[in-house]
């Protein structure tokens, strides 16, 4: 069969169903490993201890990464997040990538705590294990081992308009076993010290809280089950509360564990099944909480009381209800923040009741809305106890998402109504979520209800100070920073008051590891899924990989003019470097000529240069530095799309040069072209109008698939592998 083809048309031949390996004609970059030949006394051997640490740490990392899934991240990059990532040190990016690589594997998540317990008992191996964990998981997810180590990180977050929710790792045993009272006293002191530290910071960072409803976004969190020696007292007290409500005919149509009512605390102390030991535990617990909240009030620091398993929640509800009535007066500072779990089926009724109850009793309702962290254990316990009907949590994630998003809409609607009616809100809500859909909904509703407005010349929505004091978002420290950056890049206040808070835990390594393991286990399904650990790993991986891939370097034998060609996402940049453009700065001209000289094939490095960098990479690093803002503004590859050889060879071409302005290199735009006249690979066919193609299959470049993976920052400059 004969086909008519234009003269000099490029022909691409591919074997059916087999990958095509394309050799690069321009892959001539030097790979020199030259070093300063001067010898050093210790070069002949490594210290044995260092070698053991290096080998052990590397082995652990490789073993973990071998188990790591290669899930693709379909979520597009946000330009605001890319800008924020560009300021993060490489060491932090690398340690975060390793941590999320481990978390991407459900196998590693499931065995993490047991594995650590085993390795930590083996001499030498325990030191290696601790070193690896400290540099990866601990560095990524915790603020430090002490408050002092957290301060600089809190200040750094605040400079980005991000508040902090500081918490010492106080964990109860999930099996309900007893806890030493001396340990509880020590941990309580840590909480009090956290309050003092946050209070001191708040007086410096946000001294005047009158315009923000008394809030400064320097908070402390506590976990009730960690503050008493035996959590079974909470269980017995909660059952007594439920029995008392049933006797009064309350909550007949409310799912377990019901709603808080007057008299709940008295029932917890005096109800059937509550022992003398239980009563003593509960009274002591309340005394500790009173001490903590009083200390917080003195320092104008808000205390977040974390939610727990549903079988403990009635007692916790009764305590937070009474503390809000006592410490959240409408005319004075509000101190106590409750936690509401949207995955409980009671939540729609619970939220309505709490808003109505606060209005009726005259206190400010402060709450943190979470989805809930105990879904697996809740379902298992309900089944184990042989209870009939639906359990306390929603049966599907979609139900939980709907409950959470309805909570956002209900809350923001109420806040808006209250501000319009009285000029201030009696509600302050924190939407703690790692779900981008919920965050997008919240931001959209802020604008819809008129709480936030887009001002002329501002890229971000601007929210009033009063509304800002009533609304916040929250994410865990070290997780979903892309979502945090999206919020700070979308909404702002006139004075820079934080609208997003990071929950930062701290504590020594031994106590923190169970905390990390449990958080990973509770969120295993999320970590594996879209937007979870695999996505975090890919996000960090892309951030420390170059945003471009290198194409050919061109130079002239007649002058010192050169040209760089790079791929950024799906676009090709052609950058002309003219020696004349550097002449206004003798220093930059000298550097440019040095870089050009290093690209010459006959160039031999001077031994006095020390460690020798790959010449073309060094030139790219220097010339492309001022282009990074341009590169970062280009949308990332759409990994849900199938890219083809046509996209690689005939991509849009953007033509720039570089000029010197004020002693700095500045990109100068020239033109855009479709690039089809200047593609870089292919075979030039003979000058003939007709060619017999019958001997081999023929494919158009648009039919040839070029694979890209989750870590790809750009299309391959010259594809090494393609598929039909």
């Amino acid at each position: 069969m004969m086909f008519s083809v234009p003269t000099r048309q490029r022909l691409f031949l591919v074997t059916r169903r087999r990958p095509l390996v394309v050799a690069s004609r321009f892959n001539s970059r030097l790979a020199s490993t030259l070093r300063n030949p001067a010898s050093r006394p210790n070069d002949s051997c490594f210290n044995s201890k260092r070698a053991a640490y290096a080998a052990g740490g590397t082995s652990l990392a490789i073993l973990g990464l071998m188990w790591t899934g290669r899930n693709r991240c379909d979520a597009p990059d946000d330009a605001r997040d890319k800008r924020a990532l560009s300021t993060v040190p490489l060491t932090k990016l690398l340690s975060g990538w390793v941590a999320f690589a481990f978390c991407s594997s459900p196998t590693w998540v499931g065995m993490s705590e047991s594995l650590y317990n085993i390795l930590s008992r083996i001499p030498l191996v325990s030191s290696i294990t601790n070193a690896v964990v400290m540099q990866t998981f601990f560095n990524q997810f915790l603020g430090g081992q002490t408050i002092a180590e957290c301060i600089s990180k809190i200040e750094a977050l605040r400079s980005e308009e991000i508040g902090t929710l500081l918490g010492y790792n106080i964990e109860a045993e999930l099996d309900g076993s007893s806890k030493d009272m001396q340990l509880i006293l020590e941990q309580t002191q840590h909480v009090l010290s956290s309050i003092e530290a946050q209070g001191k910071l708040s007086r410096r960072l946000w001294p005047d809280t009158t315009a923000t409803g008394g809030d400064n976004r320097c908070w402390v969190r506590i976990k009730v089950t960690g503050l008493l020696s035996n959590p079974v007292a909470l269980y017995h007290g909660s059952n007594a509360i439920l029995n008392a409500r049933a006797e009064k005919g309350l909550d007949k149509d409310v799912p377990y564990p019901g709603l808080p009512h007057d008299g709940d605390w008295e029932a917890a102390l005096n109800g059937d099944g509550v022992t003398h030991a239980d009563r003593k535990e509960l009274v002591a617990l309340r005394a500790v909480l009173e001490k903590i909240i009083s200390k917080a009030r003195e320092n104008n620091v808000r205390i977040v009381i974390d939610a727990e398993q549903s079988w403990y929640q009635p007692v916790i509800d009764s305590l937070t209800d009474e503390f809000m009535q006592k410490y959240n007066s409408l005319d004075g500072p509000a101190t106590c923040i409750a936690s509401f779990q949207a995955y409980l089926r009671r939540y729609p009724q619970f939220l309505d009741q709490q808003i109505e109850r606060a209005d009726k009793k005259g206190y400010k309702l402060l709450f943190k809305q979470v989805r809930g962290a105990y879904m697996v254990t809740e379902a298992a316990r309900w089944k184990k106890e042989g209870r009939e009907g639906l359990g306390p949590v929603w049966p599907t994630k979609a139900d939980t998402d709907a409950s959470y998003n309805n909570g956002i809409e209900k809350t923001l609607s109420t806040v808006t109504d209250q501000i319009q009616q009285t000029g201030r809100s009696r509600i302050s809500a924190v939407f703690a979520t790692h779900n981008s859909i919920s965050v997008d909904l919240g931001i959209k509703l802020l604008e819809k209800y008129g709480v936030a407005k887009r001002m002329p010349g501002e890229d971000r929505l601007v929210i009033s100070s009063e509304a800002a004091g009533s609304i916040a978002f929250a994410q865990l420290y070290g997780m979903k920073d892309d979502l945090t950056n999206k919020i700070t890049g979308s909404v702002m206040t006139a004075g820079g008051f934080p609208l997003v808070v990071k929950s930062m835990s701290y504590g020594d390594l031994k106590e923190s590891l169970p905390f990390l393991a449990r958080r990973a286990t509770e969120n295993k399904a999320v970590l594996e899924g879209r937007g979870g650990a695999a996505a975090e790993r890919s996000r960090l991986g892309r951030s420390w990989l170059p945003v471009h891939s290198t194409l050919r370097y061109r130079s002239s034998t007649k002058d010192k003019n050169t040209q760089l060609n790079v791929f950024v996402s799906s676009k090709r940049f052609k950058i002309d470097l003219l020696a004349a453009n550097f002449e206004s700065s003798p220093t930059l001209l000298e550097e440019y000529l040095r870089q050009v000289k290093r690209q010459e094939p006959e160039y031999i490095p001077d031994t006095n240069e020390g460690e020798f960098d790959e010449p073309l990479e060094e030139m790219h690093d220097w010339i492309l530095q001022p282009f990074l803002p341009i590169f970062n503004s280009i949308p990332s590859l759409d990994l849900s799309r199938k890219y083809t050889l046509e996209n690689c060879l005939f991509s849009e071409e953007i033509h720039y040069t570089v000029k010197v302005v004020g002693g700095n290199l500045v990109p100068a735009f020239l033109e855009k072209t479709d690039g089809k006249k200047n593609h870089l690979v292919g075979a030039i066919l003979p000058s003939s109008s007709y060619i017999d193609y019958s001997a081999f299959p023929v494919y158009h470049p648009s039919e040839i698939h070029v694979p890209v993976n989750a870590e790809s920052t750009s299309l391959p400059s010259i594809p090494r592998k393609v598929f039909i």
Side-chain angles (χ1 to χ4, degrees), residues 613-666:
D613 292 326
E614 204 281 316
L616 190 55
E617 285 187 0
E618 183 183 341
M619 187 173 188
H620 274 88
D621 290 344
W622 180 57
I623 292 294
L624 298 182
Q625 187 65 34
F627 284 86
L628 292 182
I630 299 172
F631 293 168
N632 285 329
S633 68
I634 295 174
S636 300
L637 294 176
D638 181 0
L639 298 183
S640 64
R641 172 184 171 184
K642 180 179 289 187
Y643 288 96
T644 68
L645 199 58
E646 185 174 36
N647 299 126
C648 294
L649 303 180
F650 307 137
S651 60
E652 178 185 19
E653 186 175 85
I654 306 174
H655 194 183
Y656 272 86
T657 187
V658 174
K659 295 183 178 180
V660 176
V661 178
N664 297 311
L665 298 181
V666 176

Side-chain angles (χ1 to χ4, degrees), residues 223 305-309 313 316 339-341 368 370 374:
K223 197 172 181 68
I305 300 178
D306 279 349
E308 312 253 6
Q309 293 93 335
Q313 203 58 45
I316 296 173
S339 293
F340 296 171
Q341 298 165 304
K368 177 185 69 168
V370 300
Y374 306 102

Side-chain angles (χ1 to χ4, degrees), residues 676-705:
K676 290 191 176 182
K677 296 180 180 179
N678 300 303
H679 44 76
L680 303 179
V681 300
I684 300 177
L685 298 179
S687 300
S688 173
S689 299
Y690 295 96
I691 296 178
D692 184 1
Y693 289 97
S694 60
F696 42 78
V698 178
Y699 300 95
H700 189 274
S702 64
E703 300 175 299
I704 302 171
H705 176 212

Side-chain angles (χ1 to χ4, degrees), residues 63-82:
L63 182 61
L65 295 178
M66 286 174 62
W67 282 89
T68 300
R70 300 288 296 174
N71 296 355
R72 287 174 55 154
C73 171
D74 296 328
D77 285 339
D78 188 286
R80 293 157 293 199
D81 183 49
K82 291 169 70 175

Side-chain angles (χ1 to χ4, degrees), residues 530-576:
R530 184 178 185 269
E536 293 273 15
R537 181 200 65 209
S538 296
R539 167 181 170 266
L540 294 180
R542 288 194 300 272
S543 68
W544 52 265
L545 289 171
V547 297
H548 63 274
S549 59
T550 305
L551 295 170
R552 59 183 171 182
Y553 166 82
R554 287 175 168 174
S555 61
S556 171
T557 58
K558 298 180 180 180
D559 52 39
K560 296 299 182 181
N561 296 337
T562 60
Q563 184 185 87
L564 300 182
N565 289 270
V566 297
F567 243 130
V568 179
S569 187
S570 60
K571 302 181 186 298
R572 182 185 300 138
F573 281 75
K574 182 172 70 175
I575 303 171
D576 291 338

